[in-house]
Amino acid sequence: CPVTVSSNVGLGSTFQITIPLASSQTPTRETPAAGPEEMPAQAACLLLIEDDHEVAMATALLLQTQGFAVHTARTGEEAIKLVRSNVYPDAILSDFRLPGENGVAILKLLRATLESDIPCVFLTGDPAAASMNSTGLVNTHVFSKPVLADDLLKLVRDILR
């Protein structure tokens, strides 16, 4: 299914997923074996922190269609509550700028709670934040919005290896 993403600084991002209608007859065909970059996530658990509901739902849908289990939170506080209620993610995807919160501070709290340097991908529409790889945080990646679906999926698979 093709996925397109468009983003305007200060206005947000739009995800469009095109799903073809099924025909009345479903053709049978053999599916070729998936290459390593196409393999399903097999129960990998992701924590998605995004305050924009539509972006969160579109991103979660994209990840779920690839086999990931996705838990969403709109704030750092919600993310901490999820982790304290026995959600143990394999990786975190987080918007960098959340209302009244900073993604780096949230990540530090989550890592302290989990007692792990869990991998994290920051997604940001802020050009200044895009250069934040100098924060000294290990196992952290930054993607500028708009993010191509294939690029995001490849990075998530890579950090889970």
Side-chain angles (χ1 to χ4, degrees):
C1 297
V3 176
T4 57
V5 179
S6 63
S7 181
N8 293 312
V9 176
L11 297 176
S13 302
T14 302
F15 292 77
Q16 181 178 3
I17 302 172
T18 305
I19 303 171
L21 293 174
S23 64
S24 59
Q25 292 182 323
T26 305
T28 58
R29 63 179 177 172
E30 288 187 31
T31 304
E37 63 278 351
E38 298 172 4
M39 294 177 70
Q42 297 188 11
C45 177
L46 303 175
L47 174 56
L48 173 63
I49 309 167
E50 172 61 63
D51 60 313
D52 184 307
H53 179 72
E54 288 79 20
V55 172
M57 293 301 99
T59 305
L61 178 63
L62 170 68
L63 295 164
Q64 289 166 343
T65 62
Q66 298 300 307
F68 295 99
V70 181
H71 297 271
T72 59
R74 295 187 80 169
T75 65
E77 184 178 329
E78 284 182 22
I80 294 291
K81 285 180 183 176
L82 281 170
V83 168
R84 288 184 177 152
S85 69
N86 298 322
V87 170
Y88 300 106
D90 297 301
I92 297 169
L93 284 83
S94 178
D95 192 354
F96 180 72
R97 297 219 188 273
L98 297 160
E101 299 180 289
N102 174 295
V104 172
I106 295 167
L107 177 61
K108 288 179 178 178
L109 284 171
L110 287 167
R111 284 180 170 177
T113 303
L114 292 165
E115 298 179 356
S116 166
D117 281 334
I118 185 170
C120 179
V121 176
F122 286 111
L123 306 170
T124 183
D126 180 352
S131 63
M132 65 160 254
N133 269 343
S134 60
T135 60
L137 293 173
V138 298
N139 216 6
T140 304
H141 305 272
V142 180
F143 258 15
S144 294
K145 293 178 184 177
V147 177
L148 296 176
D150 288 342
D151 292 343
L152 180 60
L153 292 170
K154 182 182 182 319
L155 179 59
V156 169
R157 288 182 181 112
D158 287 347
I159 65 174
L160 290 171
R161 288 189 184 148

